[in-house]
Amino acid sequence: MMYALWRLTLRNWKVFVKDRANVFFALLAPLIVLALYVLFLGRIQVDGLLASLEGMGVDPSAEVEAAVQSFCDSWMLVGSLSCACITVPLCACGIMIQDKSRGISAEYLASPLPRWLPAVSYFCAVVFAGLIIGGIVFGVCLVWLAVTGSWFLTAADVFGSLGTLVLSVLSSSTLLVFVVGFFRSQGAFTGLNVIFGTVVGFLIGAYMPITYFPEGVQYFTLLIPGSYSAGLFRNFMMQGALDNIASALPASVGEPFADALAAEFSMTFDFFGVAEIGPPVMAAVLAGAFLLFGALCVLVSALRRK
């Protein structure tokens, strides 16, 4: 049975990667984040932070400007990686819709395979796609930081980011498999893909910090598991750059400015004005989303078999 599961999972993965347009759209949101940053968002962010320092009476030196640039680079890469952890599993879910529209799902039902096996193979393929392509995006992010001189990560940060990648892909995959399971037509799925791929970067703070949004929108982002994924990535991939800014500035300015940046760039979340959410709670929310939607997928599958 495990061999059959492996073969079906491998088949679904091959179907996904052979559709180059699908893979491109899976990476479209991260590419948009990168393009916007390189074209104008990066300069706007850096200039804005340098202007804030000048308003605090600090004349930014070349060292300070380089530290601010490294921080903004890290923020951009977090946005790209966080988007990839969502959009890649979403596009990989398209295999389910293709098989339904082509009648392949009906053939599975008529075969001697257990009815749960195809569903589990779809989920495994979605997770596999998210981990493989997300891992490639993560590797590109590390290379970017190293090449641009913005590497302030420790070994713990790298392994923590890898753990966040796995947890993010698992939570987003279970949620998306559950949602896409209710779709039947390719057109409906395409509409979901376009809409979700467009707004996800805004909702998780990839294009601009969440703190720039109205209060109601900020609270709405707390209901999206991807926001907690981005928050965890920020804590692992931006903390070193944040500490570098603090050390490059005078002692009287460094710590307050770093604390203000951590709040502005949502390294912690304000939970409806009641409590502050840090990395442990973010990880717990992602794990809870994985368990919740995983249980819902099992429940829906069991009801359909009846």
Side-chain angles (χ1 to χ4, degrees), residues 233-287:
F233 277 124
R234 291 186 194 107
N235 278 274
F236 286 118
M237 297 184 67
M238 294 171 59
Q239 186 60 54
L242 190 65
D243 294 339
N244 182 54
I245 290 179
S247 62
L249 293 171
S252 59
V253 177
E255 289 299 328
F257 186 70
D259 291 341
L261 281 184
E264 180 177 347
F265 283 83
S266 301
M267 295 180 71
T268 58
F269 294 139
D270 176 18
F271 187 73
F272 297 96
V274 176
E276 186 177 86
I277 296 179
V281 178
M282 294 178 189
V285 170
L286 289 176

Side-chain angles (χ1 to χ4, degrees), residues 50-140:
L50 293 177
S52 298
L53 286 173
E54 290 178 353
M56 299 171 67
V58 177
D59 186 17
S61 61
E63 180 186 2
V64 171
E65 183 172 354
V68 170
Q69 181 69 60
S70 297
F71 177 81
C72 292
D73 285 351
S74 301
W75 171 75
M76 175 272 298
L77 294 175
V78 165
S80 296
L81 184 56
S82 302
C83 286
C85 290
I86 300 172
T87 57
V88 173
L90 175 60
C91 288
C93 286
I95 306 166
M96 301 164 54
I97 306 300
Q98 290 180 23
D99 285 355
K100 288 178 182 178
S101 62
R102 295 173 181 174
I104 297 176
S105 297
E107 294 180 5
Y108 284 148
L109 295 176
S111 71
L113 292 173
R115 297 190 66 177
W116 58 266
L117 194 61
V120 174
S121 72
Y122 287 131
F123 173 74
C124 291
V126 169
V127 172
F128 191 63
L131 291 177
I132 294 298
I133 299 182
I136 293 173
V137 174
F138 180 58
V140 172

Side-chain angles (χ1 to χ4, degrees), residues 20 31 85 87 108 125 168 175 189 192 268 270 290 292 295:
R20 296 181 180 179
L31 289 174
C85 290
T87 57
Y108 284 148
S168 300
L175 188 157
F189 175 74
L192 172 69
T268 58
D270 176 18
F290 166 64
L292 172 62

